[in-house]
Amino acid sequence: MIEIHPVPGLPEIARGDDLAALLAGAIADAGLGPLPGDVLVVTHKAVSKSEGAVRVLEGDEEAAYRALVEEESAEILRRRGSLVIAKTRHGFICANAGVDRSNTAPGTAVLLPRDPDASAHGIRMALQAATGVDVPVIITDTFGRAWRRGLCDVAIGVSGLGPITDHRGATDDHGRVLQVTEVAVADEIAAAADLAMGKATGTPAALVRGLRLPPGSGRAADLVRDAPEDMFR
Amino acid sequence: MIEIHPVPGLPEIARGDDLAALLAGAIADAGLGPLPGDVLVVTHKAVSKSEGAVRVLEGDEEAAYRALVEEESAEILRRRGSLVIAKTRHGFICANAGVDRSNTAPGTAVLLPRDPDASAHGIRMALQAATGVDVPVIITDTFGRAWRRGLCDVAIGVSGLGPITDHRGATDDHGRVLQVTEVAVADEIAAAADLAMGKATGTPAALVRGLRLPPGSGRAADLVRDAPEDMFR
């Protein structure tokens, strides 16, 4: 069985907050451990706020927001009305280059963390120092998709796990080599954690327990399809 | 807390098997209920096999497989080498029109169910008749994505739940209208269930407990972005 525990009781995060210490405290206060084998999922918004990746939208708020989206875009793939689908500096393809005005103070916008893998690593190391348990960390954002309506949470930063489970060469019950070779396990964990967190309540973290992941390492860029390999840009 | 319970002990499914009865039996034998509020996730492969949506690949197996993929495609979006990205008759966009040769007898291929929503509805009704509990059902397949590497399970059939949670008009902790308005909750549940099922073990079902979904209804087509609205076809 897999369990997904929202981490309750976290305060509104602000610049300079020690997010890892707050997470360790909230996890302990909730009696959640952490336990070996857990994976900690944190929404990027909490990370970005603690790192100060928040901008004030001066003057005409809408215009300032649009300018910020352009600034955060390494490449614009499509525009439709006020919607921009862009590649971020990290290589992620998402709406508005990940610049978000929900769950942040009026007149401000939250950017993606500058280096989400490094943010995940920092939280993981601090959590290990505080609790003695090495818990892999996934930082998430909510992305749209081509072809399918609705948004899903995905991994934009990882530490301590392989974001793609590679079944190449593995066989099925019939002894046949599996066709499904690479599962985006970090994205599936991100999606699962979102079910427990909820958009409106603002719970920014969840512990996922019972995954039995193979030991691994990697970075969120492993989840990005390189442009030459991508048939849909 | 959300719990994801793989449903153990299901036999290899064959044409004509009463899948709902097998599921009800396996769920009861495992002491899993079902309980009100649970969602049952079933991989399409078990559904397709029980419905006889399996084809023998006669003669040159590779050529027969390629022909079957063309036959199952309503529209081919891209070709690269032997890979075909196609729209299925249901409107889903996926590799090889969903025709799959893993976890099926050698020399055969499994198609998508003809009407996965109807299949989900049938399982839900039969399970309700057998257990007295109305459990929403999601039928899944494993799809690739544009822009991101690795595959994720998604919903291709639903009954008894709204596949998209609509937060339009909802406000965040700052009283601000949420930017993230439509969450593909059925896809997130599909992804979460996959974490508990595993590709190689062939466990074809999981019960997801504790979701507290709002009452709803819908069909998997709600998750399909219409072509005119889709900027990436």
Side-chain angles (χ1 to χ4, degrees), chain B residues 194-229:
Chain B
D194 185 49
L195 294 169
M197 295 197 287
K199 294 290 173 225
T201 58
T203 304
L207 268 182
V208 184
R209 181 159 292 169
L211 286 165
R212 286 184 281 186
L213 298 178
S217 64
R219 50 206 190 105
D222 299 341
L223 290 160
V224 174
R225 205 181 279 283
D226 296 331
E229 188 201 317

Side-chain angles (χ1 to χ4, degrees), chain B residues 12-81:
Chain B
E12 175 72 22
I13 307 296
R15 179 179 196 132
D17 280 348
D18 185 343
L19 181 58
L22 291 170
L23 287 164
I27 289 167
D29 289 349
L32 291 173
L35 303 182
D38 287 355
V39 172
L40 177 64
V41 179
V42 186
T43 63
H44 87 276
K45 206 160 287 178
V47 176
S48 294
K49 286 177 180 175
S50 74
E51 295 177 354
V54 178
R55 296 289 175 270
V56 176
L57 302 169
E58 316 249 17
D60 177 342
E61 193 178 321
E62 189 61 30
Y65 176 67
R66 290 293 138 213
L68 190 54
V69 168
E70 303 283 329
E71 204 179 301
E72 290 293 301
S73 299
E75 185 189 335
I76 308 274
L77 274 76
R78 300 281 193 285
R79 292 179 194 272
R80 182 177 292 178

Side-chain angles (χ1 to χ4, degrees), chain A residues 11-193:
Chain A
E12 175 72 24
I13 306 296
R15 181 180 196 131
D17 280 348
D18 185 342
L19 181 57
L22 291 170
L23 287 164
I27 289 167
D29 289 349
L32 290 173
L35 303 182
D38 287 355
V39 171
L40 177 64
V41 179
V42 186
T43 64
H44 87 277
K45 207 161 286 178
V47 175
S48 293
K49 287 177 179 174
S50 74
E51 294 176 355
V54 178
R55 295 289 175 272
V56 176
L57 301 170
E58 316 248 17
D60 177 342
E61 194 177 320
E62 189 61 29
Y65 175 67
R66 291 292 139 211
L68 190 53
V69 168
E70 303 283 329
E71 204 178 302
E72 289 293 301
S73 299
E75 185 190 334
I76 308 274
L77 274 76
R78 300 282 192 284
R79 292 178 194 273
R80 182 177 291 178
S82 65
L83 176 67
V84 167
I85 309 292
K87 189 178 87 173
T88 70
R89 279 179 296 233
H90 324 78
F92 305 127
I93 293 173
C94 59
N96 299 321
V99 184
D100 193 344
R101 287 186 288 178
S102 298
N103 285 307
T104 181
T108 68
V110 181
L111 314 181
L112 296 186
R114 175 172 293 273
D115 183 346
D117 288 329
S119 305
H121 185 72
I123 291 169
R124 177 174 153 233
M125 290 298 113
L127 208 63
Q128 183 172 22
T131 68
V133 185
D134 183 9
V135 176
V137 173
I138 296 175
I139 294 171
T140 64
D141 194 6
T142 306
F143 280 7
R145 301 90 55 86
W147 319 326
R148 293 180 74 80
R149 286 182 56 220
L151 309 174
C152 285
D153 274 20
V154 298
I156 66 162
V158 300
S159 178
L161 82 171
I164 297 205
T165 303
D166 191 346
H167 292 292
R168 273 177 295 188
T171 52
D172 63 21
D173 289 343
H174 300 274
R176 187 147 189 176
V177 172
L178 287 179
Q179 245 180 314
V180 171
T181 50
E182 295 194 317
V183 175
V185 67
D187 284 346
E188 291 196 331
I189 296 169

